[in-house]
Amino acid sequence: MGERSSEAAAMDLDAHNFNSELYIQTVLKKCTLREVMEKEAHIIRDTQTLHSDMQTLVYENYNKFISASDTIKKMTSDFKEMEAEMDLLAANMNSIANFSDQISTTLHDTRQKLTQLSSVHTTLQKVQFLFRLPHTLKQNKEEGSLSLAVQNYTRALGTLKIYSHNVSFSSIHKECDEIMEGVKDQLFGQLSSKQATPKELGECVELLLSLGEPAPVLCLKFLQHASERQNEQLQGMEEHLRVGDQDVIEFLDVGSNDFLSDICLNVATYNELFAKKCQIEEGDDPSALLDNFVHEAMDKYLQLVKRKVEDEQAPGTEATVLVRALDRFYRRLQAASTLLPGPNYSKYGMEVVVQAGHRQSQTHLKNMQAHFVELLSNVRQTLAAPKLSLTVEEEKRNPSSSNLPELLNTLVAGSVDKIKSCLQDLKLFLQSDLTFSLKQVFRSKFCCSVREGFVVAFIKFLMDTATGFCVPQTPPTLLLLLSKMCLEMESSTVNFLLSQTDEEFCVEDSAKGTTRLVLCKQLHESAQKLLDYFVRTQGLNLSQMLRKSVETRDWLSTPEPRTVRAVMKRVVEDVAAIEVQVGSLYEQGIQQERSSDSSRRTQRKRTNWYAPSQIDSTLASNLQKLFSERIEIFSCVDFSTVSIMTGIIKISLKTLLECVRLRTFGKFGLQQIQVDTHYLQMYLWRFVENENLVHFLLDEILGSTVHRCLDPVLMEPSVVEMICERG
Amino acid sequence: MLDEETPVIYGLEFQARALAAQLAETEAVRFYVGTQSLKFDNQVHRLELDEENNMIKREVFHHGDGEIWHISASPTDKNVISTVYNHISPEKSCTKHTAVWRTSDEMNPTTEIRNLKLLTKLNTSSMGDDIKCTHFHPTEENKLLTVVDGTFAIWDLNAAGGSCDATTKGAIEGKGQPKFSTAKWNPHQGKSHVATANDMFIRGWDTRTNQEAWLIESAHNQLVRDIDFNPNKQYFLASCGDDGNSKFWDIRKTKVPVVTRADHSHWVWCVRFNHFHDQLVLTSSTDSRVILLSAASISSEPFGHIVEEESANEDKPVPLKDGVLALYEEHEDSVYAVEWSSGDPWTFASLSYDGRLIINQVPKSEKYKLLL
């Protein structure tokens, strides 16, 4: 394409890179003769036209050049004329300047006279003002425009002082002074009038100052008046506080409005008037005076607020209104405190708020404590009640223990619900639209007092109350219930409460306070203590029965046994009743090698091991001890039914053993014990963790009896069995 | 020298519950033990701790009259003891008696069993059947105290020879024929007072008038097993009982105990103040344990009393706190008796029902706390 276009360009006559050779060749090649002829003629024509054009152009340009050279010649002659005219102008200007000088020298004298005359006029006016001054002042005073009077007086004062040697002036001065004394009196009067607003006061004091009254006196006067006013307001507030006709919001609102705005205004005025002017003066530092004044007033104010807030926090009141009121109070105080000198009063305000928060949690703690005690006494009543209405038999069939889980639930859930509602109330203090709730100081202190002072303190109170029941008079069922309650708290409730508190109150340094672990541990210990006490109490109750039964019988001359002694039946019944009770609250637990009936028979054979051989029972029992695993009689109790029952049974059987050892038995006495122990063996094994333990203790009892027997002859086992099965 | 942490164990062939320190002996560590067997001849063992060899030397006396329930030693004559024993007649009936015996002179390393010489048999037949204990007066060698059923009797051996009658008697009255469980001389108040325990009560008696001097009602929830006076601080009394507690009383204020301890898990059978350092108290229990308690808060040695000026600058020894100082678990059966040695204030013996006598020492660390 490019080639073609360049070829075409080479063929174009007007183109820049026209190639004549190529053109001719091409034309000759392509065109017919006729066409070549035509083309030649055409080119010749064109060439001629171009030629004539060129000639015309040359002519035209030549003409133009000639006319231009003519113009230049003319210009050179014109400039010569102009130079001469300029010289003339300069000469004229010089003469004008000379004239002007002459005129000004002639006018100088006249002007000076004029100036003199005008100054004389001013002086005369001043003198006239001075002579008329007393009159003006009087008039001003009568009109009550004291500020104008003072303004006039101060204007004239300088002059009067300068010309005081002149009699007429000094008399004017005197007259003026007299009038001004009156003005001052009026001003002082205003200063001490009670209706004066701080603004008026400010004006008064400003005027007096400009009259040259000593600043310290005025300071005092001003402050005295201000404090009078403030005290009046405070008294008004106190009156309201006493009568109690305002709710806390209104109280704090009115107080904040009137008192705080007045005190701010006073302080501002004071600063404006005195602070700058009097700093240099000696004596009382004006800012110290002000500080004192503010401090005193604020002190009283804060006291009043505190009292009102305290009044508001009677037990059981909700925090909604209080929180709003405190917010308003704190907001105002914060704003005001930037204007007030001396210590930062918003800090004190914060203290009031923090205290209110603390007190609120304390109030709730007290509520909770009372609530818990009430719950507890209800529970105690419920525990005591059925025993009155039901006979022993009925109770056994339909034991009061069936409602133990229910009672437990009342205790735990009742407390937790109440705590939750208290926390909800306390949370009001942390609403995000409250100014003080955003302050770190408040948050950390408040959250701490909620966590430690309320939740943790309550749990501790609960533990103390519960463990406080570890006294002999407490009904065992209550001990059991409380123990389970502590356990329940430990396993879930405490976790729940603490995590909820930490979360809702954003307690960051919960590690610093009482940790969950510590609390759980304490609860666990309390539960253990209560449970141990329960086991001990029940064990001792059964023991007492057994001891009396052994002590009061004459075992040497007892008749041949025909039945199981009633006390043994009673013991078994009681144990069963206790188990039902315990079982309703605690898990069953694991029983070791719960054997079938047949294995119990083999156990019994071991019991009878003494009988056939009649060997020395010390040796026998020692041998037996060697072979049987040593049983820890007084191990700790676990939180399971079998463990608890084992504990109780162990204590009871140990008692029986001890009692037996204190007596001497005849043949039938021994046989009676044989029957009794067999009976116990038949019934007690099912309650315990490890039935070997019961066997061991019963063997010990029988062994000791054999030992304490003058005529140790045991009964036929079949007879014993028969007696026992007969009941 | 004896390694103090290792107890010395002595086994009797028979069961036993009677133990007494040989009070008149102030050099050697010596104890009397009485056996309790219905079938065999009973014995009184006089045991001496041989500290050099860490062994026990013994002397055995026949006590053929019956099983021994209680034994006590004269505070003035090394060789005089009293026993309360149960005599079984050939017709298989039991009667309890109490008598004063003389053993042979000084420790004699023979192995033969010698006889006790009967000094006096105390006539209790008019008072009742169940004799609980007979105690020598703390200073007057011829005076003894016995309780029988609901009566306590005071004897004067000088008044009559052979069989003797009580010079003084006192009795309690109440529902269901109350019986004393034990009695003690009060070492203070002119040594003319005694204290008795019955059921849950502890009573003080003035023996000059046989009137009740004071009363602790429900001292324990259950039976009171033993009482002991603080030998160095008057008015102070320890008690123990079936409720597993040991309590300390000021008998001028009998409403509440000064200190209550619940360290045992079953009956506490015996409580004893150390005669030299009365903050040390031993208790023994049917839970097979012996516990050494500190009752420093009510001791006659006030805190810091022994701390001299010089030692105040050094590491001040921490004054003893109330509580358990040591737990001795070498026994495998109920421990019915525990006694401090009269020869060495740091040594004591405990006796369990299976006839095992164990001589133990106060742990060194506690000893130094008291001495330094």
Side-chain angles (χ1 to χ4, degrees), chain B residues 18-30:
Chain B
L19 171 72
Q22 192 182 18
L23 290 176
E25 173 61 64
T26 52
E27 299 297 320
V29 174
R30 281 201 201 153

Side-chain angles (χ1 to χ4, degrees), chain B residues 64-302:
Chain B
D65 280 8
E67 51 167 11
I68 301 169
W69 282 83
H70 184 258
I71 193 167
S72 72
S74 162
T76 47
D77 190 332
K78 291 181 188 177
N79 297 319
V80 173
I81 57 169
S82 76
T83 58
V84 173
Y85 58 94
N86 184 22
H87 180 74
I88 296 139
S89 67
E91 304 84 49
K92 307 257 172 189
S93 70
C94 297
T95 44
K96 273 191 164 178
H97 302 276
T98 179
V100 184
W101 312 85
R102 175 172 288 281
T103 62
S104 65
D105 289 342
E106 273 319 294
M107 277 309 260
N108 194 335
T110 76
T111 49
E112 70 174 291
I113 302 180
R114 284 175 290 170
N115 284 319
L116 289 169
K117 186 184 162 213
L118 180 71
L119 290 183
T120 317
K121 196 165 173 217
L122 305 170
N123 183 5
T124 58
S125 53
S126 61
M127 294 179 247
D129 306 320
D130 198 3
I131 308 174
K132 287 292 185 197
C133 59
T134 299
H135 286 286
F136 285 94
H137 188 274
T139 48
E140 293 170 48
E141 54 187 316
N142 292 315
K143 254 188 172 176
L144 288 110
L145 163 73
T146 301
V147 292
V148 189
D149 282 348
T151 312
F152 70 88
I154 291 167
W155 319 89
D156 191 344
L157 297 186
N158 287 340
S163 179
C164 126
D165 288 314
T167 53
T168 327
K169 277 192 254 177
I172 38 166
E173 279 138 28
K175 272 194 285 182
Q177 293 165 332
K179 281 181 173 183
F180 288 125
S181 53
T182 188
K184 272 279 165 74
W185 287 100
N186 184 342
H188 308 288
Q189 288 164 324
K191 301 183 175 66
S192 59
H193 284 226
V194 295
T196 61
N198 69 294
D199 208 7
M200 304 183 295
F201 305 93
I202 302 173
R203 282 185 167 78
W205 303 83
D206 187 337
T207 58
R208 291 165 299 193
T209 57
N210 285 339
Q211 294 295 309
E212 191 178 296
W214 45 266
L215 168 67
I216 303 175
E217 276 182 271
S218 1
H220 289 265
N221 273 334
Q222 303 203 12
L223 190 77
V224 179
R225 285 283 163 196
D226 194 21
I227 51 178
D228 197 36
F229 279 97
N230 187 325
N232 307 323
K233 193 178 186 185
Q234 66 172 346
Y235 307 124
F236 280 84
L237 173 82
S239 69
C240 59
D242 285 1
D243 58 359
N245 291 343
S246 316
K247 296 186 180 181
F248 295 89
W249 304 87
D250 180 342
I251 57 174
R252 292 163 299 181
K253 291 172 226 155
T254 56
K255 291 285 172 222
V256 277
V258 190
V259 175
T260 300
R261 306 277 326 168
D263 302 308
H264 287 290
S265 56
H266 205 239
W267 299 358
V268 186
W269 202 275
C270 187
V271 61
R272 288 288 178 273
F273 281 105
N274 187 304
H275 281 245
F276 301 88
H277 305 283
D278 52 66
Q279 54 272 69
L280 300 177
V281 178
L282 285 169
T283 54
S284 74
S285 158
T286 49
D287 65 3
S288 320
R289 291 193 177 98
V290 174
I291 286 179
L292 176 62
L293 278 179
S294 158
S297 62
I298 48 170
S299 144
S300 66
E301 288 177 28

Side-chain angles (χ1 to χ4, degrees), chain A residues 405-638:
Chain A
E406 210 174 286
L407 287 176
L408 178 72
N409 192 43
T410 341
L411 266 181
V412 176
S415 304
V416 170
D417 285 352
K418 188 91 199 233
I419 288 184
K420 271 194 214 158
S421 73
C422 287
L423 284 179
Q424 227 46 50
D425 186 46
L426 287 169
K427 248 188 106 175
L428 291 174
F429 276 88
L430 290 186
Q431 285 161 353
S432 57
D433 57 338
L434 301 178
T435 335
F436 56 78
S437 80
L438 298 174
K439 301 273 176 189
Q440 194 51 41
V441 194
F442 174 76
R443 279 193 98 87
S444 62
K445 281 191 183 161
F446 178 69
C447 293
C448 177
S449 69
V450 168
R451 190 180 191 276
E452 297 296 318
F454 175 58
V455 181
V456 173
F458 175 69
I459 293 167
K460 284 192 172 154
F461 166 80
L462 196 125
M463 280 190 280
D464 289 346
T465 316
T467 48
F469 279 102
C470 285
V471 288
Q473 294 79 27
T474 317
T477 324
L478 186 65
L479 288 171
L480 189 69
L481 196 66
L482 288 174
S483 157
K484 182 65 184 177
M485 180 193 77
C486 286
L487 206 64
E488 196 105 305
M489 299 286 283
E490 183 217 342
S491 63
S492 61
T493 318
V494 164
N495 262 336
F496 166 72
L497 281 178
L498 281 187
S499 57
Q500 201 179 20
T501 314
D502 285 356
E503 197 179 298
E504 288 187 2
F505 291 85
C506 310
V507 182
E508 291 133 11
D509 46 358
S510 59
K512 267 191 212 160
T514 321
T515 59
R516 199 165 303 183
L517 270 162
V518 171
L519 217 53
C520 282
K521 204 176 145 229
Q522 283 175 349
L523 275 167
H524 193 87
E525 278 164 9
S526 303
Q528 185 76 53
K529 192 177 164 196
L530 283 159
L531 195 63
D532 285 349
Y533 202 82
F534 169 76
V535 168
R536 214 174 164 127
T537 313
Q538 293 287 31
L540 287 179
N541 286 346
L542 291 175
S543 295
Q544 188 84 341
M545 215 150 62
L546 288 166
R547 183 168 71 85
K548 285 267 147 72
S549 80
V550 177
E551 270 180 7
T552 49
R553 202 174 175 112
D554 181 2
W555 292 98
L556 273 173
S557 52
T558 191
E560 189 172 359
R562 306 224 168 268
T563 56
V564 179
R565 283 189 300 145
V567 68
M568 294 300 160
K569 293 184 186 164
R570 179 76 200 277
V571 165
V572 170
E573 275 170 11
D574 281 7
V575 167
I578 294 170
E579 201 217 12
V580 172
Q581 246 182 17
V582 176
S584 70
L585 286 180
Y586 282 96
E587 304 266 315
Q588 176 63 26
I590 308 141
Q591 276 178 315
Q592 288 170 16
E593 45 182 289
R594 172 171 273 216
S595 52
S596 64
D597 229 30
S598 61
S599 75
R600 275 194 291 129
R601 270 176 222 287
T602 56
Q603 283 289 344
R604 205 191 56 243
K605 262 183 204 154
R606 223 184 77 195
T607 313
N608 294 341
W609 193 47
Y610 301 108
S613 58
Q614 289 282 317
I615 51 165
D616 176 27
S617 53
T618 320
L619 183 61
S621 78
N622 281 343
L623 272 176
Q624 197 189 341
K625 268 184 202 164
L626 271 180
F627 290 115
S628 62
E629 206 180 317
R630 182 175 173 178
I631 294 170
E632 186 60 45
I633 296 182
F634 299 98
S635 53
C636 230
V637 173
D638 299 334

Side-chain angles (χ1 to χ4, degrees), chain A residues 544 654 658 661 707-708, chain B residues 15 67 222 333-334 336:
Chain A
Q544 188 84 341
K654 179 72 183 171
E658 291 301 328
R661 284 176 175 185
H707 203 86
R708 295 292 315 153
Chain B
Q15 291 174 335
E67 51 167 11
Q222 303 203 12
D333 207 334
S334 308
Y336 294 126

Side-chain angles (χ1 to χ4, degrees), chain A residues 539 543 546-547 625 630-631 633-634 646-661 680 684 693-694 696-698 700-701 704, chain B residues 265-267 269 285-289 332-336 353:
Chain A
S543 295
L546 288 166
R547 183 168 71 85
K625 268 184 202 164
R630 182 175 173 178
I631 294 170
I633 296 182
F634 299 98
T646 308
I648 294 171
I649 290 172
K650 274 195 294 195
I651 292 179
S652 312
L653 293 183
K654 179 72 183 171
T655 302
L656 187 56
L657 173 66
E658 291 301 328
C659 291
V660 160
R661 284 176 175 185
L680 289 179
L684 288 186
L693 197 126
V694 171
F696 171 78
L697 280 167
L698 290 172
E700 280 273 288
I701 291 168
S704 285
Chain B
S265 56
H266 205 239
W267 299 358
W269 202 275
S285 158
T286 49
D287 65 3
S288 320
R289 291 193 177 98
E332 281 173 7
D333 207 334
S334 308
V335 188
Y336 294 126
Y353 191 57

